[in-house]
Amino acid sequence: MSLEKMKDLCLEGKYLQPETKEVNGILMTKIMSDNWDKIWNFQAKPDDLLIATYAKAGTTWTQEIVDMIQNDGDVQKCQRANTFDRQPFIEWTLPPPSPSGLDRANKMPSPRTLKTHLPVQMLPPSFWKENSKIIYVARNAKDSLVSYYHFSRMNKMVPDPGTWEEYVETFKAGKVGIDAKSLSFPSVLWGSWYDHVKGWWDAKDQHRILYLFYEDMKEDPKREIQKIVKFLEKDTPEEVLDKIIYHTSFDIMKQNPMANYTTLPTSIMDHSISPFMRKGMPGDWKNHFTVAQNEEFDKDYQKKMAGSTLTFRTEI
Ligand SMILES: Nc1ncnc2c1ncn2[C@@H]1O[C@H](COP(=O)(O)OS(=O)(=O)O)[C@@H](OP(=O)(O)O)[C@H]1O
């Protein structure tokens, strides 16, 4: 769909506050849930690569790294199209005539790289059957929450986050929160962060899954990019590796219109409210949580993550 058409749809108000609906207890936009049968029956292929994350974990960053590796560090080739055109977001669905992630994926020649935010139990079963490779990226809960909050403020295609206080509770609940005073219903798409990261963690030893952490990527991009190179069975020379590190650094990606979502109309994503490429740093949660909120969050976190071997760093 052309950007002009997208603008028209927005002006008609079709993207203002999407309706939401649960599928198997996971909140999605209504249009995604209406399309669920098709998403569930998506046909993956053995040479597909899937980048899976809970929202705001560093998906776009990983997508850019993967594209650069696959294109042997050719920056121009990686600027051939927007991230969402290069690597379809399989469950993402907008009102017609906008092509869905499935439409984009089905039209794409192999080998395909695809994106999803689906929790592990909701992944179309063909990915397991075809043994497609999967890169999962996880980011600590507090920074994910902060990033998701600001993203929900600037992106009209996801539900309004409500106030910061409301959103902290919504994120912890992993679904719709109800604020009795304002009667607003902030909600979080793709379900609980806690279940998401734990579910994929448990799956990683039974399938071809490379499980990465945003904080590790930030701490030592070369080491983490090399893990991806190995997983993709590529042979990437040192100088290409250095080029990839540079091109996918936060400051360079922030200036790259093919990776920073600025080609979308402001009626969809308003970067003046909060840029998509916002801070790009572990530890920004400290600028948002009050001491009391942090203590409450930690208490709740211990309960929700009890029994899991999965650990995160909240700063580096
Ligand atoms: N290159 C690079 N380096 C470091 N950090 C980066 C990079 N690219 C994107 N980002 C940050 O990742 C956050 C966006 O996450 P996602 O791409 O997963 O968002 S989405 O779920 O696909 O909408 C968002 O995090 P916050 O800045 O904390 O909001 C982006 O700034």
Side-chain angles (χ1 to χ4, degrees), residues 55-61 115 117 139 147 151 214 218 248-250 253 276-280:
K56 313 320 291 177
T59 330
T60 316
W61 187 10
K115 160 183 169 178
H117 287 323
R139 185 181 193 182
S147 184
F151 182 66
Y214 179 95
K218 197 75 201 182
T248 60
S249 65
F250 180 79
M253 272 184 64
F276 181 88
M277 300 290 294
R278 197 184 57 87
K279 287 269 176 81

Side-chain angles (χ1 to χ4, degrees), residues 34-97:
D34 290 346
N35 219 24
W36 180 247
D37 279 352
K38 276 196 200 154
I39 297 169
W40 181 248
N41 289 307
F42 174 70
Q43 189 51 55
K45 299 178 186 172
D47 59 358
D48 283 342
L49 172 70
L50 180 69
I51 298 173
T53 57
Y54 189 74
K56 313 320 291 177
T59 330
T60 316
W61 187 10
T62 311
Q63 287 177 268
E64 198 63 22
I65 290 171
V66 163
D67 204 31
M68 281 290 282
I69 295 171
Q70 288 167 337
N71 286 291
D72 302 310
D74 186 329
V75 173
Q76 272 186 337
K77 273 195 193 158
C78 294
Q79 292 189 341
R80 67 195 178 282
N82 282 298
T83 309
F84 45 84
D85 287 320
R86 284 181 277 154
Q87 299 159 333
F89 183 7
I90 55 169
E91 70 270 25
W92 192 246
T93 318
L94 293 171

Side-chain angles (χ1 to χ4, degrees), residues 123-247:
L123 190 71
S126 62
F127 282 100
W128 308 125
K129 189 162 164 276
E130 299 298 338
N131 198 25
S132 318
K133 285 186 185 174
I134 301 175
I135 298 176
Y136 186 83
V137 187
R139 185 181 193 182
N140 79 75
K142 292 177 195 175
D143 283 325
S144 295
L145 185 160
V146 169
S147 184
Y148 208 172
Y149 168 69
H150 289 295
F151 182 66
S152 306
R153 291 170 54 236
M154 63 84 80
N155 182 356
K156 304 296 173 240
M157 296 185 285
V158 302
D160 185 279
T163 65
W164 164 253
E165 289 74 18
E166 285 166 350
Y167 192 73
V168 171
E169 296 313 314
T170 303
F171 184 93
K172 280 154 73 177
K175 52 179 182 179
V176 183
I178 300 174
D179 173 40
K181 265 186 274 157
S182 68
L183 291 179
S184 68
F185 297 83
S187 48
V188 63
L189 300 181
W190 295 289
S192 150
W193 175 92
Y194 311 85
D195 294 344
H196 208 284
V197 295
K198 284 191 292 185
W200 280 97
W201 181 251
D202 292 343
K204 78 175 185 340
D205 298 326
Q206 293 136 46
H207 300 281
R208 292 204 293 176
I209 299 175
L210 176 68
Y211 199 108
L212 299 174
F213 294 90
Y214 179 95
E215 295 75 23
D216 293 350
M217 289 168 63
K218 197 75 201 182
E219 179 183 65
D220 191 344
K222 191 167 194 168
R223 181 189 62 206
E224 300 308 303
I225 292 172
Q226 276 170 326
K227 285 185 193 167
I228 300 178
V229 166
K230 190 166 169 230
F231 187 65
L232 299 185
E233 296 164 82
K234 288 282 290 185
D235 189 9
T236 307
E238 194 74 13
E239 67 273 15
V240 174
L241 210 53
D242 290 339
K243 208 169 159 189
I244 296 174
I245 294 166
Y246 176 76
H247 178 78

Side-chain angles (χ1 to χ4, degrees), residues 10 33 74 107 111 118 216:
C10 290
S33 75
D74 186 329
K107 278 195 200 131
L118 291 170
D216 293 350

